[in-house]
Amino acid sequence: MKGPISWPRRRLLLAGAGMAAFHSLGAPASPVQLAPLTLRRRVLANGLEFIALPNAGTGTGATVSVQVWYRVGSKDDPVGRSGFAHLFEHMMFKSTRHMANEQFDRMTEDVGGSNNAFTTEDSTAYHCVVPANHLEPVLWAEAERMSNLTVDQANFDSERAVVKEEYRQNVLSEPYGQLFNAVPSFGYQTHPYRRPVSGNIEELDAATLADVSEFHANYYRPDNAVLLVAGAFDARQLDEAVNHYFGSIPRPSRPIPRNNVVEARRVLDQTYRLPASQAPQPAALLIWQGPRADSPDAIVWQVAQALLSQGESARLSKGLVYNRQVAQSAGFEAQLNAEAGLLVAHAVAAGGTSAAALVAPLAREVQRLAEEPVAERELNKVKTQLMTAALIKRQTAQGLAELAGMAAMLRADAAAAERDLAALQAVSAADVQRVVRRDVQQAARVTLLYGPPASSKPALKPRRGRA
């Protein structure tokens, strides 16, 4: 489904689930030696970054994935116009000078392939998988919608209506949608990441066609994009096709607008109460500042996240749901973006537990990672799960290109996806304890209490000290 990556179901740098790839879960595994990725990168004269990733598979049944990632996300939405990046994700499937509405769907789905797109804080990505012999038409289509998209009132109005309806369904109608949607606005102090990817109805309604046209001209251009092709292809023919279809797209002379806001270190704890008239049970959410996605500690937080919330046997579920029985569900996510990050723990109450009563046990379970030794068996288990998921992802053309695309967007280096596997295997229990101690125990926290309003006017009170 086309749309923004919504919390708490966001994609991870090492995402997914799978069977054990190491030996025994209880015994430390020897480092897995992997063949290096065959990644070839070049930059066209117009600034387009092109990455080719040949993958196994030839002949009948071979497939190829074509992906175009634009360096534009919700952080680039104009002030007072949140949701523009998400809106354009939808508009790119409309007509162009030489393609009718929805023709891209016909060119992929009608030949047995698939296509989709998603928007994040830092990027907007378009991806498809088609039989290998349909590669060239898809390259033409991607170049066509990069350079000749029809940005008119009719397309704008129709896709704005779609985005507004997604907001109603995913945020307003979901019992905890407004809580999770509030994470960036309370977690970030000044950075444009404060604007949720989904935007909001009022600002979408206020947008004009002139606003939309300017946004398109600013960001949908070859020097702001990465083209990735993975799977079964002839390298020489691919290069010729990329040069032919993309090389002729002019590079605009206008500069690409960039934000230069640096998120300050939070110094005070704060607690906010959010009304939740339609939530069946109260909930609590804790937010700390995290590192950037290009930090060496990003992979350590992936492991910490898995220890806390991956599977029913993870620490938050075991501690809050099964042992204390104060929550019906609990989770944790390291939301690490290109320029700043957040660490978010949440719990939904069980029985008569209040939102405030969830805070101490939820915080305690996270802090235990820093205070008590992490058993070798427990650490090996989650590293095995993460490693297996990454290996499985590398086996498909789409997964391979997505790993490289995410690394290019978040760390400005597609080859970083290759180094993640070695870094994951090297994470130790001491590393996990170090980052939790620094980023949680020794850091300020934002607490969101979500439940029935205590009065007709919700309280938004900063406080010193933690629960």
Side-chain angles (χ1 to χ4, degrees), residues 1 13 23 63 77 127 138 144 174 181 185 224 242 248 260 290 309 331 340 353 372 380 407 428 430 438 462:
M1 179 178 181
L13 295 180
H23 306 302
T63 61
D77 289 344
H127 56 91
V138 170
E144 168 68 11
E174 288 285 338
N181 196 59
S185 58
N224 198 43
V242 169
S248 60
N260 296 307
S309 65
T353 307
E372 301 173 8
N380 287 338
S428 67
R438 179 194 66 203

Side-chain angles (χ1 to χ4, degrees), residues 106-117:
R106 304 284 64 78
M107 295 178 65
T108 53
E109 295 170 1
D110 290 0
V111 299
S114 61
N115 75 80
N116 216 321

Side-chain angles (χ1 to χ4, degrees), residues 77 80-84 86 160 163-164 167 171-172 181 195-207:
D77 289 344
R81 297 292 186 269
S82 63
F84 262 40
H86 179 205
R160 175 166 57 180
V163 171
K164 287 163 60 177
Y167 182 86
V171 178
L172 299 182
N181 196 59
R195 300 190 290 261
V197 176
S198 58
N200 64 65
I201 290 176
E202 292 75 18
E203 293 191 8
L204 287 167
D205 279 340

Side-chain angles (χ1 to χ4, degrees), residues 156-401:
F156 172 41
D157 289 342
S158 70
E159 296 315 297
R160 175 166 57 180
V162 172
V163 171
K164 287 163 60 177
E165 184 58 28
E166 283 188 357
Y167 182 86
R168 293 185 186 99
Q169 292 180 4
N170 299 332
V171 178
L172 299 182
S173 297
E174 288 285 338
Y176 301 96
Q178 294 181 69
L179 173 63
F180 293 128
N181 196 59
V183 168
S185 58
F186 285 96
Y188 292 103
Q189 301 167 96
T190 57
H191 198 280
Y193 287 145
R194 296 185 79 248
R195 300 190 290 261
V197 176
S198 58
N200 64 65
I201 290 176
E202 292 75 18
E203 293 191 8
L204 287 167
D205 279 340
T208 67
L209 181 61
D211 296 331
V212 175
S213 298
E214 182 178 15
F215 186 83
H216 178 261
N218 282 336
Y219 297 106
Y220 277 79
R221 44 195 282 177
D223 54 334
N224 198 43
V226 179
L227 167 67
L228 300 106
V229 179
F233 54 79
D234 179 276
R236 182 185 61 80
Q237 293 177 355
L238 175 60
D239 278 344
E240 291 176 353
V242 169
N243 290 340
H244 178 69
Y245 295 117
F246 289 89
S248 60
I249 301 174
R251 180 178 193 160
S253 58
R254 64 194 297 172
I256 302 171
R258 296 298 185 200
N259 293 303
N260 296 307
V261 178
V262 177
E263 179 73 1
R265 194 69 183 164
R266 188 179 293 278
V267 296
L268 293 177
D269 288 356
Q270 294 176 295
T271 294
Y272 299 93
R273 291 186 178 273
L274 304 181
S277 57
Q278 63 185 15
Q281 292 289 341
L285 196 148
L286 311 180
I287 309 172
W288 299 270
Q289 290 177 309
R292 290 164 38 134
D294 61 359
S295 165
D297 288 332
I299 201 72
V300 181
W301 270 113
Q302 291 284 327
V303 174
Q305 171 179 294
L307 287 167
L308 288 167
S309 65
Q310 184 159 302
E312 293 299 310
S313 63
R315 290 185 172 213
L316 289 180
S317 288
K318 187 182 295 183
L320 275 66
V321 177
Y322 297 108
N323 294 344
R324 293 187 181 89
Q325 298 183 6
V326 295
Q328 58 179 285
S329 65
F332 182 92
E333 185 185 13
Q335 301 180 10
L336 309 185
N337 299 317
E339 297 173 11
L342 297 177
L343 309 169
V344 187
H346 78 274
V348 176
T353 307
S354 68
L358 290 171
V359 173
L362 182 57
R364 174 62 185 154
E365 283 298 332
V366 178
Q367 292 167 1
R368 278 184 55 228
L369 275 180
E371 297 170 357
E372 301 173 8
V374 178
E376 185 175 55
R377 180 181 179 85
E378 182 183 18
L379 182 66
N380 287 338
K381 175 183 176 181
V382 299
K383 288 171 64 176
T384 295
Q385 292 170 337
L386 292 171
M387 185 71 176
T388 303
L391 292 174
I392 291 173
K393 200 172 186 68
R394 283 173 52 140
Q395 299 310 304
T396 68
Q398 179 169 323
L400 188 62

